[in-house]
Amino acid sequence: MYKKLLLTATIMAVCLQTKAQTLAADYKGTGNNNPISANIFCADPTALEYNGRLYVYGSNDHQQFVANGKQGENSYGSIKSIVVFSTDDMVNWTFHGTIDVAKLCSSWVTSPWYQGFGVSWAPSVTWRTNDEGVDEFFLYFCNSSHGVGVLKANSPIGPWKSPNNKLMIHYDTPGANPSGTNANFDPGVVIDDNGVGWISFGGLGPSTIMPDAARIVKLAPSMTEVDGTAVKIHAPYHFEANELNVMNGKYIYTYCSNWAQRTDAEWNAYKAEHGITVSAPNTCTMCYMVSDNPMDPNSWVYKGVYGPHPGQGTNNNHSHLQKFQGEYYHIYHGAQLMLYWRDGNIIDNDCGIFRSICVNKATVDESTQTINQVTPNLEGVTAIKNLDPYQLQQAETMASCGGVDYEDFTNIKKNAKINTLGNDASANMQVKMKEGSWISQRSVDFGTGASKFTLCAKGTGTIEIRTSPNPKTKIATIEFSSTEMESQTFDVDANKFKGVKKNLYMVVTSATDFYVDAWQFADSQSSSIQEIENNAHVKVQRYDLSGRRLSDGQQYRGVVIEKYTDENGMTHSRKVLSE
């Protein structure tokens, strides 16, 4: 009898294991918040805070990954777009698609060659409210080693435009690195307390203690041109990854160190000359310097290392120090996702180096401009607030996922791949899900209880809502079917959707051409997805979620895309619930 029970238990365990294995693999890890994306390679992060959200931008390594056929080395040559993510809680990240820099800069000059467009790497971003009360956003990127370009928008997610017809900084820029020596890349921008913009750039100098390839220059009031001549920043062991911050009236310059051989005699001489006591940086670490007069090369004081080498799988380092909601964060890239995919045989061992953006807390003393060294880890940061399920949530807002793809449904082409995502994709994203795919959110607060669930989707699919990947934690099953993208509301048990859920999983157990756009819970007093606020507009054109134009007056139930031109002549896209 004992053997029979043991055999039965063993068979049941195998069946449960087989069932669990039908889910797409979790390469990020249930308890990990790094990297911020479980399925998109991205690198060289920069960030800004706007209206309570943190927006993070990065080099689109995934574009190169797709161009390579998901194999081989990352040569960076196919990276011609920039990815955008945002969060308000630091653990659930919304993927806003990509900024198609190649398209935006397609009319740039082709001669001289070093002023035209080729690639878009290592963005740096800032924003301001101008004298007319209009918010302006400026995104700088490097065109390989040749120089720095700039894009401009009136929102952090676009639409973006190129205000120039060539690189803003190039070999002919006064004070820049000349052609054939060093590089004019990796921009770092900041607007100081007086409203003046500054930009740092440069790198790849000789492998010595003082390459003298780092530069800084004042920006013109337009923020799209330089003002004057760039000067050197005498940064010891400088290599690349320039960024700028302002802290308590001081300018903070951060960069990645090079691979030059360190000697005690050489560093002791540097310390004595500059009156400092800190140790020399190890190779490929993030260093920082402080100045109260950025255009005086001799005013910059080396303060030490705050970001270590990102670890196994990476041969470079790039980070941004960002203050958000009163706390500082070290935003950097590593190769954790690539290594997970190698271990899971998703990619070959010769595939690399494709990077992923991570975040860890930083300890900063603003009064002394001191940044303590950060300890990167996969756990990352904890949620600074709970996710509100009673607000409209885009399907592409997630802490982690498995087996999903993204599509821009205003730019769908036959056999389209992920790198076809274009400019202003933020309002036009949907998530393609198949059997076994899933998305998850962290720290979801249902309060006293939710009794209804509204799903905006297209196709046929069964979703199990769980509190973990384990099927035993299922708290609801949603059966959805529609030939059009539309919203359907389902009853759920309020006793099971109560309080804060550490994790919430939406697992697809069956699917046929299934696309999910958004979801929202409601209590017994309300239902359906909220309607996006109407903005003043001049001309509106409506499209269904397949990109088909809807004629004026045509009846359509569900979410539609409105493309409209506002009173300032700006073109926008937005989702609207049509009844």
Side-chain angles (χ1 to χ4, degrees), residues 97 394-396 406-413 416 420-432 456-458 485 515-518 532 543-549 556 559-563 573-576:
Q394 300 297 326
E396 55 272 18
Y406 304 99
E407 290 189 359
D408 173 0
F409 47 68
T410 64
N411 190 32
I412 291 177
K413 301 176 182 177
T420 63
L421 295 175
N423 188 44
D424 195 25
S426 58
N428 309 320
M429 297 294 294
Q430 62 188 13
V431 176
K432 183 177 182 181
C456 182
K458 178 183 178 181
M485 181 68 74
Y515 299 85
V516 179
D517 178 50
I532 294 179
Y543 299 80
D544 67 18
L545 297 188
S546 296
R548 294 189 299 267
R549 172 78 182 275
Y556 186 86
V559 174
V560 299
I561 301 303
E562 287 189 351
K563 290 188 175 182
S573 297
R574 66 184 180 195
K575 293 175 184 173
V576 176

Side-chain angles (χ1 to χ4, degrees), residues 490-501:
F490 305 84
D491 292 330
V492 295
D493 187 346
N495 292 319
K496 296 180 179 179
F497 289 89
K498 185 180 294 185
V500 177
K501 304 297 185 185

Side-chain angles (χ1 to χ4, degrees), residues 486-557:
E486 68 173 16
S487 300
Q488 296 180 9
T489 299
F490 305 84
D491 292 330
V492 295
D493 187 346
N495 292 319
K496 296 180 179 179
F497 289 89
K498 185 180 294 185
V500 177
K501 304 297 185 185
K502 183 178 180 181
N503 292 287
L504 192 73
Y505 282 76
M506 297 184 186
V507 179
V508 176
T509 57
S510 67
T512 303
D513 295 327
F514 194 40
Y515 299 85
V516 179
D517 178 50
W519 58 269
Q520 184 179 8
F521 284 87
D523 59 28
S524 59
Q525 303 302 315
S526 61
S527 64
S528 80
I529 289 184
Q530 66 189 30
E531 195 166 334
I532 294 179
E533 182 180 352
N534 232 354
N535 293 323
H537 54 268
V538 176
K539 182 181 179 182
V540 175
Q541 295 176 341
R542 298 193 310 153
Y543 299 80
D544 67 18
L545 297 188
S546 296
R548 294 189 299 267
R549 172 78 182 275
L550 301 175
S551 61
D552 294 340
Q554 180 178 347
Q555 296 298 312
Y556 186 86
R557 182 172 178 266

Side-chain angles (χ1 to χ4, degrees), residues 225-241:
E225 296 178 317
V226 300
D227 181 6
T229 300
V231 300
K232 295 179 180 180
I233 298 176
H234 299 307
Y237 299 113
H238 174 267
F239 186 63
E240 59 182 0

Side-chain angles (χ1 to χ4, degrees), residues 236-254:
Y237 299 113
H238 174 267
F239 186 63
E240 59 182 0
N242 315 284
E243 275 282 19
L244 289 172
N245 285 80
V246 170
M247 194 180 298
N248 197 28
K250 304 283 188 178
Y251 299 85
I252 314 297
Y253 170 64
T254 61

Side-chain angles (χ1 to χ4, degrees), residues 26 28-34 378-381 400 442 502-503 505:
D26 182 0
K28 181 171 176 176
T30 304
N32 293 336
N33 289 315
N34 280 329
L378 295 179
E379 290 80 3
V381 297
S400 190
R442 303 213 203 286
K502 183 178 180 181
N503 292 287
Y505 282 76

Side-chain angles (χ1 to χ4, degrees), residues 131-449:
D131 293 339
E132 287 73 42
V134 177
D135 292 342
E136 295 180 318
F137 296 80
F138 302 92
L139 191 150
Y140 305 84
F141 64 92
C142 67
N143 185 54
S144 184
S145 63
H146 308 145
V148 175
V150 59
L151 303 177
K152 184 178 178 181
N154 290 121
S155 94
I157 53 175
W160 296 88
K161 294 183 178 180
S162 173
N164 302 330
N165 68 346
K166 60 183 178 181
L167 290 173
M168 185 186 75
I169 294 173
H170 45 76
Y171 292 130
D172 295 336
T173 299
N177 289 299
S179 178
T181 63
N182 308 336
N184 293 311
F185 73 166
D186 285 10
V189 66
V190 73
I191 298 175
D192 67 19
D193 298 334
N194 298 314
V196 177
W198 303 88
I199 192 164
S200 57
F201 61 96
L204 303 187
S207 188
T208 62
I209 187 174
M210 193 53 62
D212 267 347
R215 301 287 190 273
I216 188 169
V217 67
K218 183 180 178 182
L219 289 169
S222 68
M223 296 288 291
T224 60
E225 296 178 317
V226 300
D227 181 6
T229 300
V231 300
K232 295 179 180 180
I233 298 176
H234 299 307
Y237 299 113
H238 174 267
F239 186 63
E240 59 182 0
N242 315 284
E243 275 282 19
L244 289 172
N245 285 80
V246 170
M247 194 180 298
N248 197 28
K250 304 283 188 178
Y251 299 85
I252 314 297
Y253 170 64
T254 61
Y255 65 94
C256 174
S257 63
N258 64 16
W259 280 259
Q261 182 181 2
R262 275 69 162 160
T263 66
D264 290 342
E266 190 173 55
W267 186 250
N268 288 336
Y270 178 85
K271 289 196 299 182
E273 179 183 358
H274 295 276
I276 60 174
T277 59
V278 294
S279 300
N282 290 329
T283 60
C284 199
T285 56
M286 297 305 304
C287 311
Y288 73 110
M289 304 182 76
V290 177
S291 170
D292 56 7
N293 182 8
M295 294 299 285
D296 178 3
N298 296 317
S299 69
W300 290 95
V301 177
Y302 179 79
K303 298 270 285 186
V305 171
Y306 77 94
H309 188 288
Q312 182 184 7
T314 50
N315 60 0
N316 56 28
N317 203 347
H318 199 121
S319 75
H320 176 65
L321 183 70
Q322 177 66 41
K323 190 176 184 179
F324 176 62
Q325 301 292 302
E327 300 288 343
Y328 277 96
Y329 296 91
H330 174 55
I331 310 175
Y332 60 100
H333 69 226
Q336 293 87 346
L337 184 62
M338 181 193 72
L339 296 176
Y340 293 158
W341 284 20
R342 283 183 183 176
D343 292 342
N345 296 318
I346 302 300
I347 57 176
D348 294 333
N349 284 332
D350 64 350
C351 186
I353 294 171
F354 296 97
R355 303 156 295 177
S356 298
I357 294 175
C358 302
V359 183
N360 281 95
K361 198 85 173 284
T363 303
V364 176
D365 186 338
E366 292 184 334
S367 64
T368 60
Q369 300 85 47
T370 300
I371 312 170
N372 291 344
Q373 184 159 320
V374 178
T375 302
N377 56 51
L378 295 179
E379 290 80 3
V381 297
T382 57
I384 62 173
K385 62 181 288 190
N386 293 327
L387 184 144
D388 184 357
Y390 301 112
Q391 296 293 319
L392 176 70
Q393 300 293 339
Q394 300 297 326
E396 55 272 18
T397 297
M398 57 188 74
S400 190
C401 66
V404 306
D405 291 316
Y406 304 99
E407 290 189 359
D408 173 0
F409 47 68
T410 64
N411 190 32
I412 291 177
K413 301 176 182 177
K414 189 175 182 180
N415 300 322
K417 296 180 180 179
I418 193 168
N419 64 323
T420 63
L421 295 175
N423 188 44
D424 195 25
S426 58
N428 309 320
M429 297 294 294
Q430 62 188 13
V431 176
K432 183 177 182 181
M433 305 187 77
K434 57 189 177 183
E435 182 176 341
S437 63
W438 55 273
I439 61 176
S440 69
Q441 298 80 31
R442 303 213 203 286
S443 302
V444 183
D445 189 358
F446 287 97
T448 57

